[in-house]
């Protein structure tokens, strides 16, 4: 299943026992079109559900080919979507670091204030620390001053320098976020 993890092309191979997790990737990462990968090799390769557990939850860098490879075995303990997402993000992050980019576990929002000023805010923290909830609270509390908030990334992003300026991009097009602490319309944004 070819997907884009940020700007990287990943080929994901999924054993049929874990196919239900593979289907969920369509909610999280944008599918890559043949025109994006038909003329080149992938940046990342992930095999989820191999029989041999000797290489369970490991990753490698094929230096000659420039491909980052992740492997997770078919053990029952790995029948969890987190192994699908986390290995892909690990491969992305190692690739980013090797290419002088800084992966960030956080949420980023572009804020347009009512006076026309734009600001970018990044909240960094562990899983479950309240990054998305903090941005939603900012929207509610700052509603008098904020005209628009545009989410750049909600879980994993990358900072990089281009022409002496700092840029950021996210890795995912969707997100699995707990909605119980957020405004009712958050999911639809």
């Amino acid at each position: 299943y070819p997907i884009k993890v940020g700007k990287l092309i990943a080929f994901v191979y999924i054993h049929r026992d874990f196919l239900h997790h593979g289907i969920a990737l369509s909610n999280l990462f944008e599918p890559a079109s043949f025109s994006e990968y038909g003329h080149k090799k992938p940046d990342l390769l992930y095999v989820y559900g191999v029989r041999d557990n000797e290489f369970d939850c490991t990753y490698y860098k094929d230096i000659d080919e420039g491909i980052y490879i992740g492997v997770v075995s078919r053990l029952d303990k790995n029948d969890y979507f987190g192994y699908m997402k986390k290995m892909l993000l690990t491969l992305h992050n190692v690739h980013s670091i090797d290419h002088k980019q800084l992966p960030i576990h956080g949420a980023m929002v572009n804020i347009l204030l009512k006076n026309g000023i734009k600001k970018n805010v990044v909240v960094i923290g562990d899983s479950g620390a309240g990054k998305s909830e903090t941005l939603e609270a900012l929207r509610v509390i700052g509603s008098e001053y904020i005209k628009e908030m545009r989410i750049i990334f909600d879980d994993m992003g990358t900072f990089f320098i281009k022409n002496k300026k700092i840029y950021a991009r996210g890795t995912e097009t969707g997100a699995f976020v707990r909605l119980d602490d957020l405004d009712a319309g958050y999911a639809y944004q």
Side-chain angles (χ1 to χ4, degrees), residues 89 92-94 96-97 100-106 156-159 171:
L89 292 179
H92 169 273
N93 293 349
V94 172
S96 295
I97 291 167
K100 310 258 188 271
Q101 299 178 359
L102 179 63
I104 299 295
H105 184 227
M156 182 63 66
T158 305
F159 289 159
T171 57

mmCIF file of all heavy atoms in Angstrom, residues 89 92-94 96-97 100-106 156-159 171:
data_model
loop_
_atom_site.group_PDB
_atom_site.id
_atom_site.type_symbol
_atom_site.label_atom_id
_atom_site.label_comp_id
_atom_site.label_asym_id
_atom_site.label_seq_id
_atom_site.Cartn_x
_atom_site.Cartn_y
_atom_site.Cartn_z
ATOM 1 N N LEU A 89 6.149 6.342 11.633
ATOM 2 C CA LEU A 89 6.663 7.621 12.130
ATOM 3 C C LEU A 89 8.111 7.491 12.583
ATOM 4 O O LEU A 89 8.905 8.418 12.398
ATOM 5 C CB LEU A 89 5.776 8.155 13.248
ATOM 6 C CG LEU A 89 4.377 8.577 12.802
ATOM 7 C CD1 LEU A 89 3.559 9.061 13.986
ATOM 8 C CD2 LEU A 89 4.434 9.643 11.718
ATOM 9 N N HIS A 92 10.108 7.637 9.426
ATOM 10 C CA HIS A 92 10.094 9.033 8.972
ATOM 11 C C HIS A 92 11.052 9.873 9.797
ATOM 12 O O HIS A 92 11.825 10.669 9.266
ATOM 13 C CB HIS A 92 8.675 9.598 9.077
ATOM 14 C CG HIS A 92 8.615 11.072 8.894
ATOM 15 N ND1 HIS A 92 8.796 11.950 9.955
ATOM 16 C CD2 HIS A 92 8.426 11.833 7.799
ATOM 17 C CE1 HIS A 92 8.717 13.183 9.496
ATOM 18 N NE2 HIS A 92 8.492 13.142 8.201
ATOM 19 N N ASN A 93 11.022 9.704 11.120
ATOM 20 C CA ASN A 93 11.836 10.539 12.001
ATOM 21 C C ASN A 93 13.329 10.265 11.839
ATOM 22 O O ASN A 93 14.133 11.196 11.823
ATOM 23 C CB ASN A 93 11.409 10.343 13.453
ATOM 24 C CG ASN A 93 10.012 10.868 13.712
ATOM 25 O OD1 ASN A 93 9.434 11.566 12.874
ATOM 26 N ND2 ASN A 93 9.459 10.527 14.852
ATOM 27 N N VAL A 94 13.702 8.994 11.707
ATOM 28 C CA VAL A 94 15.113 8.661 11.495
ATOM 29 C C VAL A 94 15.571 9.239 10.157
ATOM 30 O O VAL A 94 16.660 9.826 10.064
ATOM 31 C CB VAL A 94 15.340 7.136 11.569
ATOM 32 C CG1 VAL A 94 16.757 6.773 11.165
ATOM 33 C CG2 VAL A 94 15.038 6.620 12.969
ATOM 34 N N SER A 96 14.319 11.851 8.678
ATOM 35 C CA SER A 96 14.383 13.315 8.851
ATOM 36 C C SER A 96 15.669 13.735 9.541
ATOM 37 O O SER A 96 16.352 14.667 9.095
ATOM 38 C CB SER A 96 13.180 13.809 9.666
ATOM 39 O OG SER A 96 11.983 13.584 8.964
ATOM 40 N N ILE A 97 16.005 13.062 10.628
ATOM 41 C CA ILE A 97 17.229 13.394 11.366
ATOM 42 C C ILE A 97 18.451 13.227 10.474
ATOM 43 O O ILE A 97 19.339 14.076 10.452
ATOM 44 C CB ILE A 97 17.336 12.541 12.644
ATOM 45 C CG1 ILE A 97 16.251 12.967 13.644
ATOM 46 C CG2 ILE A 97 18.725 12.655 13.273
ATOM 47 C CD1 ILE A 97 16.055 12.000 14.803
ATOM 48 N N LYS A 100 19.032 16.206 8.224
ATOM 49 C CA LYS A 100 19.183 17.507 8.899
ATOM 50 C C LYS A 100 17.851 18.223 9.131
ATOM 51 O O LYS A 100 17.758 19.438 9.048
ATOM 52 C CB LYS A 100 20.139 18.418 8.107
ATOM 53 C CG LYS A 100 21.449 17.776 7.738
ATOM 54 C CD LYS A 100 22.540 18.237 8.652
ATOM 55 C CE LYS A 100 23.895 17.772 8.196
ATOM 56 N NZ LYS A 100 24.308 16.517 8.695
ATOM 57 N N GLN A 101 16.808 17.434 9.419
ATOM 58 C CA GLN A 101 15.503 17.981 9.779
ATOM 59 C C GLN A 101 15.174 17.525 11.195
ATOM 60 O O GLN A 101 15.671 16.500 11.657
ATOM 61 C CB GLN A 101 14.433 17.527 8.794
ATOM 62 C CG GLN A 101 14.719 17.983 7.377
ATOM 63 C CD GLN A 101 13.677 17.494 6.386
ATOM 64 O OE1 GLN A 101 12.738 16.804 6.722
ATOM 65 N NE2 GLN A 101 13.872 17.859 5.133
ATOM 66 N N LEU A 102 14.319 18.284 11.884
ATOM 67 C CA LEU A 102 13.994 17.995 13.278
ATOM 68 C C LEU A 102 12.550 17.521 13.405
ATOM 69 O O LEU A 102 11.617 18.315 13.246
ATOM 70 C CB LEU A 102 14.197 19.255 14.132
ATOM 71 C CG LEU A 102 13.881 19.113 15.614
ATOM 72 C CD1 LEU A 102 14.805 18.094 16.289
ATOM 73 C CD2 LEU A 102 13.983 20.473 16.294
ATOM 74 N N PRO A 103 12.358 16.219 13.687
ATOM 75 C CA PRO A 103 10.986 15.738 13.897
ATOM 76 C C PRO A 103 10.463 16.212 15.247
ATOM 77 O O PRO A 103 11.202 16.254 16.231
ATOM 78 C CB PRO A 103 11.131 14.213 13.857
ATOM 79 C CG PRO A 103 12.562 13.920 14.087
ATOM 80 C CD PRO A 103 13.340 15.143 13.736
ATOM 81 N N ILE A 104 9.191 16.570 15.277
ATOM 82 C CA ILE A 104 8.548 17.108 16.478
ATOM 83 C C ILE A 104 7.293 16.306 16.781
ATOM 84 O O ILE A 104 6.437 16.132 15.906
ATOM 85 C CB ILE A 104 8.139 18.588 16.253
ATOM 86 C CG1 ILE A 104 9.358 19.457 15.966
ATOM 87 C CG2 ILE A 104 7.352 19.130 17.434
ATOM 88 C CD1 ILE A 104 10.326 19.570 17.107
ATOM 89 N N HIS A 105 7.164 15.821 18.020
ATOM 90 C CA HIS A 105 5.917 15.195 18.456
ATOM 91 C C HIS A 105 5.094 16.294 19.106
ATOM 92 O O HIS A 105 5.316 16.685 20.241
ATOM 93 C CB HIS A 105 6.194 14.060 19.448
ATOM 94 C CG HIS A 105 4.954 13.333 19.834
ATOM 95 N ND1 HIS A 105 4.649 13.030 21.130
ATOM 96 C CD2 HIS A 105 3.942 12.841 19.085
ATOM 97 C CE1 HIS A 105 3.506 12.384 21.168
ATOM 98 N NE2 HIS A 105 3.060 12.259 19.937
ATOM 99 N N GLY A 106 4.177 16.840 18.334
ATOM 100 C CA GLY A 106 3.405 17.958 18.833
ATOM 101 C C GLY A 106 2.299 18.347 17.877
ATOM 102 O O GLY A 106 1.972 17.618 16.944
ATOM 103 N N MET A 156 2.540 14.705 14.583
ATOM 104 C CA MET A 156 3.960 14.626 14.255
ATOM 105 C C MET A 156 4.248 15.587 13.118
ATOM 106 O O MET A 156 3.534 15.619 12.123
ATOM 107 C CB MET A 156 4.325 13.195 13.836
ATOM 108 C CG MET A 156 5.786 12.986 13.510
ATOM 109 S SD MET A 156 6.919 13.246 14.888
ATOM 110 C CE MET A 156 6.485 11.920 15.980
ATOM 111 N N GLY A 157 5.275 16.361 13.296
ATOM 112 C CA GLY A 157 5.693 17.295 12.262
ATOM 113 C C GLY A 157 7.201 17.336 12.171
ATOM 114 O O GLY A 157 7.905 16.682 12.941
ATOM 115 N N THR A 158 7.682 18.128 11.247
ATOM 116 C CA THR A 158 9.123 18.269 11.039
ATOM 117 C C THR A 158 9.449 19.732 10.815
ATOM 118 O O THR A 158 8.769 20.417 10.052
ATOM 119 C CB THR A 158 9.570 17.455 9.804
ATOM 120 O OG1 THR A 158 9.151 16.107 9.962
ATOM 121 C CG2 THR A 158 11.069 17.494 9.637
ATOM 122 N N PHE A 159 10.474 20.199 11.505
ATOM 123 C CA PHE A 159 11.021 21.528 11.252
ATOM 124 C C PHE A 159 12.223 21.361 10.327
ATOM 125 O O PHE A 159 13.011 20.435 10.490
ATOM 126 C CB PHE A 159 11.512 22.198 12.543
ATOM 127 C CG PHE A 159 10.428 22.638 13.480
ATOM 128 C CD1 PHE A 159 10.710 22.833 14.814
ATOM 129 C CD2 PHE A 159 9.139 22.861 13.051
ATOM 130 C CE1 PHE A 159 9.731 23.257 15.690
ATOM 131 C CE2 PHE A 159 8.147 23.288 13.909
ATOM 132 C CZ PHE A 159 8.454 23.481 15.239
ATOM 133 N N THR A 171 3.166 15.156 9.090
ATOM 134 C CA THR A 171 3.355 13.853 8.464
ATOM 135 C C THR A 171 2.039 13.217 8.056
ATOM 136 O O THR A 171 2.020 12.323 7.224
ATOM 137 C CB THR A 171 4.066 12.883 9.421
ATOM 138 O OG1 THR A 171 3.305 12.786 10.620
ATOM 139 C CG2 THR A 171 5.468 13.346 9.729
#
